[in-house]
Amino acid sequence: MLNDPAALIIRKKTWDGYFLLALRSPRVARRAKPGQFLMVRVSGQPYPLLRRPLSIHARDEEGVEIFFARSGLGTAILADKKTGETLDILGPLGKGFVIPATAKGKSFCLIGGGRGIAPLYFLARELRAKGGHPRVFYGGKTEADLPLIRKFAALKTEVFISTDDGSLGFPGLVTAMVEKELARSARPARIYACGPDPMMKKIAGIAAGLNIPAQLSLESIMGCGIGACWGCVRKVLRGGSAEWVKICEEGPVFASREIVWDL
Ligand SMILES: Cc1cc2nc3c(=O)[nH]c(=O)nc-3n(C[C@H](O)[C@H](O)[C@H](O)COP(=O)(O)OP(=O)(O)OC[C@H]3O[C@@H](n4cnc5c(N)ncnc54)[C@H](O)[C@@H]3O)c2cc1C
Ligand code: FES
């Protein structure tokens, strides 16, 4: 884990409530793996003190991108940042998605709801680079929650769209679209997903029912992101028995079969 106290914002994109910042930070970028995250200091002022966890959305040799929804004070401050300003970041943190050694020629199902799509772009690129065929299931409440459709399509991946209000694509929850699609197409080698807990629980059920291994990225309130505060604990199955682990250290990505849902 590295601390870059002055990651320069070199590019910014804004949609309705969603933001993308490209940060120059070569040392962090070189170590980044899909599914890992950064702890971002949103302000140089004492308040808000706590850093915010944000997934690494993309990387190249020079830097990383973050993609986020404005959801509270911290992300609102971040949304106001301009190119030329710097951010204090810690990362890459956590354990990311496990990509099988033999991804070539295999199909993968990537499922993201709203801001949960953030880590899946980096993953889709890695899978493509290894000769895999990611199919992306991208859901939102409404069309405005899906600003990255064209970015995914440019990777030459199949992109399936759903909106809860039916304004674009499949009308209904992204999990319903996934269930429908998996019922009529060949089984993917693995499912990867990121989103709120109820969505992750549903996907774990779908994966178990079809006997498809799944890797799920869990959200949590995070005070430190580095294993120091115990603010992010979650019960998981290890060696047949349940134990509490820190999501920031052991996750945020877990195999779905090890996650305990009846909290
Ligand atoms: C590993 C990880 C990766 C994430 N990646 C992304 C991403 O790429 N894009 C994105 O838009 N969001 C992401 N999130 C969620 C994001 O961290 C929260 O939306 C954000 O921290 C909210 O901060 P806020 O100050 O705007 O909201 P506030 O509600 O004002 O935050 C108050 C406190 O609660 C915490 N908090 C509130 N909601 C959440 C939440 N759902 N998850 C974690 N902490 C929360 C904040 O860290 C803060 O300490 C991720 C969360 C985790 C755990
Ligand atoms: S966020 Fe502090 S221990 Fe995980």
Side-chain angles (χ1 to χ4, degrees), residues 176-240:
M177 174 172 64
V178 169
E179 258 182 320
K180 191 171 162 234
E181 200 50 41
L182 289 182
R184 68 181 185 92
S185 59
R187 251 200 286 168
R190 194 166 290 191
I191 290 175
Y192 296 99
C194 181
D197 240 44
M199 176 182 153
M200 294 301 96
K201 185 177 178 184
K202 178 75 186 167
I203 291 169
I206 295 170
L210 294 169
N211 200 21
I212 303 168
Q215 296 247 304
L216 309 179
S217 181
L218 301 181
E219 279 201 356
S220 164
I221 303 282
M222 287 190 180
C224 71
I226 54 170
C229 73
W230 290 85
C232 64
V233 289
R234 177 86 188 222
K235 220 190 236 180
V236 300
L237 292 172
R238 290 278 156 89

Side-chain angles (χ1 to χ4, degrees), residues 7-253:
L8 184 69
I9 301 172
I10 51 173
R11 204 170 55 254
K12 177 178 180 181
K13 276 192 91 166
T14 302
W15 299 267
D16 189 10
Y18 290 87
F19 305 85
L20 184 146
L21 299 178
L23 310 174
R24 179 172 299 144
S25 190
R27 288 185 311 135
V28 171
R30 260 179 244 131
R31 295 181 183 206
K33 303 244 171 10
Q36 289 188 299
F37 64 99
L38 306 175
M39 288 298 281
V40 180
R41 184 114 203 246
V42 296
S43 161
Q45 306 299 316
Y47 182 78
L49 179 67
L50 296 178
R51 292 169 184 267
R52 293 332 193 223
L54 292 170
S55 305
I56 299 172
H57 171 62
R59 71 163 281 275
D60 61 20
E61 285 305 304
E62 278 303 296
V64 290
E65 290 181 3
I66 50 176
F67 169 80
F68 59 95
R70 185 173 42 215
S71 41
L73 177 65
T75 46
I77 294 172
L78 210 51
D80 283 341
K81 301 282 178 193
K82 298 182 177 53
T83 52
E85 293 186 63
T86 59
L87 287 179
D88 180 333
I89 58 173
L90 286 182
L93 296 167
K95 293 183 180 150
F97 295 109
V98 175
I99 297 178
T102 52
K104 196 166 180 196
K106 291 189 177 143
S107 147
F108 299 92
C109 176
L110 278 54
I111 311 163
R115 69 188 187 196
I117 199 71
L120 302 182
Y121 181 74
F122 187 4
L123 176 66
R125 275 177 59 168
E126 288 287 301
L127 289 168
R128 291 285 293 156
K130 291 184 187 313
H133 302 294
R135 291 192 297 159
V136 178
F137 295 80
Y138 187 7
K141 287 193 172 66
T142 189
E143 185 176 354
D145 292 316
L146 306 169
L148 299 181
I149 296 174
R150 276 198 273 166
K151 187 170 182 177
F152 275 97
L155 287 180
K156 302 207 178 349
T157 54
E158 254 185 298
V159 186
F160 298 82
I161 300 301
S162 71
T163 48
D164 301 357
D165 67 1
S167 52
L168 192 70
F170 176 89
L173 296 175
V174 67
T175 47
M177 174 172 64
V178 169
E179 258 182 320
K180 191 171 162 234
E181 200 50 41
L182 289 182
R184 68 181 185 92
S185 59
R187 251 200 286 168
R190 194 166 290 191
I191 290 175
Y192 296 99
C194 181
D197 240 44
M199 176 182 153
M200 294 301 96
K201 185 177 178 184
K202 178 75 186 167
I203 291 169
I206 295 170
L210 294 169
N211 200 21
I212 303 168
Q215 296 247 304
L216 309 179
S217 181
L218 301 181
E219 279 201 356
S220 164
I221 303 282
M222 287 190 180
C224 71
I226 54 170
C229 73
W230 290 85
C232 64
V233 289
R234 177 86 188 222
K235 220 190 236 180
V236 300
L237 292 172
R238 290 278 156 89
S241 55
E243 62 181 69
W244 292 95
V245 298
K246 298 173 204 162
I247 291 183
C248 66
E249 277 187 334
E250 300 284 326
V253 179

